[in-house]
Amino acid sequence: MAKRNNLLILILTIGVFGILNTEMGIVGILPLIADHFHISISKAGLLVSLFALAVAISGPTMPLLFSGINRKKVMLLVLGVFVLGNIVSIFASNFTILLIARVIPAFLHPVYVSIALTAAAASVSKEEAPKATSKVFMGVTGGMVLGAPVSSFIANTTSLEMAFVFFTIVNAIAFIAILLFVPSMPVKERLSYGSQLSILKKPIIWLSIAAVIFINAAMYGVSSYLAEYLGTITNIPGKTISLMLFIFGGASIIGNIVAGKLLIKNAIKSVASFPFVLGAVYILLFLMGQFTVPMALIVLIFGIAVAIGNNISQYWITSAAPEAPEFSNGLFLASGNLGVTTGTSVGGLLFLILSLVFILMRNYEYSPLNVNKAQKKTA
């Protein structure tokens, strides 16, 4: 039984990695895409921002719409669409076709991730559920931070098309594994739409959503253009950029371990400190951007910080609505990707400040002292 559960969680995680790898892997090859289609780097950035916008739009709604359907069938549908979209991307003759091939699958992105988190938790005892979902979330973080260096390495070593072949293969492996090894997963107990939507009446949810949007805008407003920054400011060649992005991605392992310990030890303090830590990293990026060796260390620290930020974002929303885990995970995905869209379009510094403001607002309004005062007044 334990081996079967471990296999299920591994397959779910591979699927999550494949989907997030498709989303964020494009970051590592934006300069190559811009050159290939003879467009500006900012226009190529639409591949990141519009994908994220589609996820932000569908995050709160699509998991609800599919919540009553057999989970195995839904996961196969989502992965099948991603495989098809990546195949079209390989042969895209112009930028518009590439953009459409990426945006259509993006609307199904939150469906798979929410189901994967829910299915992982349901496959084990209640006590083991957090451990199971954390493994699946490693796929989220892994795809977000490893996708860029892997795709950059493949594209710079072989060709741009081969990077899309890689995206296709990862999703196809997950599709075949689910088809062959995952049993039918009909929904036995389904929460009503109304009971899940009712969490939106809670002010703490909206403060959390705002904070997560700004955290992700602050992170990805900078990291989405890290490859371009390393090329133009640090002035290093393509293969060295790939190495730097591998360092950035590999740091996620450290970041996830650190994030878990920080959130267990003192979640509120850790979340409130994060904008200051990220701000310090950005100052170092600005001051040391021209120096290759110091930048390697800064990129490592940046990768750790982004992984911590991803974990913090998920915790910040799901902890505000534990009674509706699947819907709150959908809200997390929507908020995070809305932040990615905003950050890649505008920039990171302003949103770093705004994230701190909303984190402190939630901490103040929902501190134990203020909650007790409010309860006494009500009584």
Side-chain angles (χ1 to χ4, degrees):
M1 185 69 177
K3 287 184 178 179
R4 190 190 310 164
N5 289 340
N6 288 336
L7 178 62
L8 171 63
I9 293 169
L10 175 62
I11 292 170
L12 294 172
T13 304
I14 292 171
V16 169
F17 174 78
I19 288 173
L20 269 295
N21 185 68
T22 298
E23 176 183 5
M24 299 309 299
I26 209 79
V27 171
I29 54 177
L30 282 182
L32 296 174
I33 289 172
D35 289 341
H36 183 79
F37 291 106
H38 307 291
I39 57 174
S40 66
I41 188 69
S42 59
K43 186 173 182 180
L46 290 173
L47 294 168
V48 178
S49 58
L50 290 186
F51 188 108
L53 181 60
V55 175
I57 292 169
S58 62
T61 55
M62 296 298 277
L64 284 176
L65 293 176
F66 283 90
S67 61
I69 304 174
N70 187 299
R71 287 168 178 163
K72 178 177 179 176
K73 292 180 180 178
V74 175
M75 288 191 289
L76 287 173
L77 170 66
V78 175
L79 289 169
V81 171
F82 267 83
V83 169
L84 182 61
N86 283 318
I87 290 173
V88 172
S89 297
I90 296 170
F91 302 101
S93 58
N94 60 65
F95 182 71
T96 302
I97 292 174
L98 178 62
L99 194 59
I100 293 170
R102 277 184 54 79
V103 171
I104 290 175
F107 284 100
L108 293 173
H109 170 297
V111 178
Y112 183 94
V113 177
S114 294
I115 287 177
L117 291 168
T118 304
S123 70
V124 297
S125 65
K126 187 176 180 180
E127 293 74 22
E128 290 290 315
K131 184 179 179 181
T133 55
S134 70
K135 290 178 181 177
V136 175
F137 193 71
M138 281 290 290
V140 175
T141 307
M144 293 181 83
V145 297
L146 290 175
V150 170
S151 64
S152 176
F153 175 78
I154 292 172
N156 279 291
T157 318
T158 56
S159 67
L160 183 62
E161 289 78 9
M162 287 304 297
F164 290 112
V165 170
F166 172 71
F167 299 156
T168 306
I169 290 172
V170 175
N171 284 285
I173 289 171
F175 180 93
I176 294 168
I178 289 174
L179 182 66
L180 297 179
F181 301 111
V182 173
S184 178
M185 302 174 70
V187 179
K188 296 176 181 177
E189 294 183 10
R190 174 182 161 187
L191 291 172
S192 68
Y193 293 156
S195 64
Q196 295 184 70
L197 289 169
S198 65
I199 68 171
L200 295 175
K201 296 178 182 178
K202 299 166 63 174
I204 190 174
I205 277 288
W206 292 104
L207 287 174
S208 303
I209 287 172
V212 168
I213 289 172
F214 295 138
I215 285 172
N216 282 269
M219 291 193 302
Y220 292 98
V222 176
S223 65
S224 292
Y225 297 101
L226 182 58
E228 181 72 7
Y229 185 83
L230 291 170
T232 57
I233 304 300
T234 315
N235 198 27
I236 56 179
K239 289 187 178 180
T240 308
I241 290 174
S242 298
L243 176 61
M244 288 282 206
L245 293 177
F246 267 118
I247 292 172
F248 180 83
S252 67
I253 299 172
I254 303 171
N256 277 291
I257 295 170
V258 172
K261 292 181 178 180
L262 289 175
L263 291 172
I264 290 171
K265 187 176 180 180
N266 193 326
I268 302 300
K269 184 177 179 181
S270 299
V271 177
S273 302
F274 181 74
F276 294 102
V277 174
L278 190 61
V281 173
Y282 287 172
I283 291 171
L284 289 173
L285 278 171
F286 177 75
L287 294 176
M288 308 297 291
Q290 294 180 336
F291 306 101
T292 303
V293 175
M295 276 297 293
L297 178 59
I298 294 167
V299 166
L300 172 70
I301 297 169
F302 191 17
I304 294 172
V306 169
I308 292 173
N310 291 329
N311 281 268
I312 280 175
S313 296
Q314 196 264 353
Y315 167 82
W316 207 234
I317 290 184
T318 56
S319 66
E323 68 272 26
E326 192 165 340
F327 184 45
S328 61
N329 274 311
L331 290 175
F332 151 65
L333 292 167
S335 305
N337 281 275
L338 184 57
V340 172
T341 302
T342 310
T344 54
S345 301
V346 181
L349 182 59
L350 171 63
F351 300 110
L352 186 62
I353 298 169
L354 290 172
S355 70
L356 177 62
V357 170
F358 279 90
I359 288 169
L360 295 178
M361 283 175 63
R362 171 178 154 172
N363 285 349
Y364 176 77
E365 291 294 332
Y366 294 93
S367 67
L369 180 62
N370 285 333
V371 169
N372 290 335
K373 285 181 180 179
Q375 289 173 346
K376 287 179 182 178
K377 286 180 181 179
T378 306

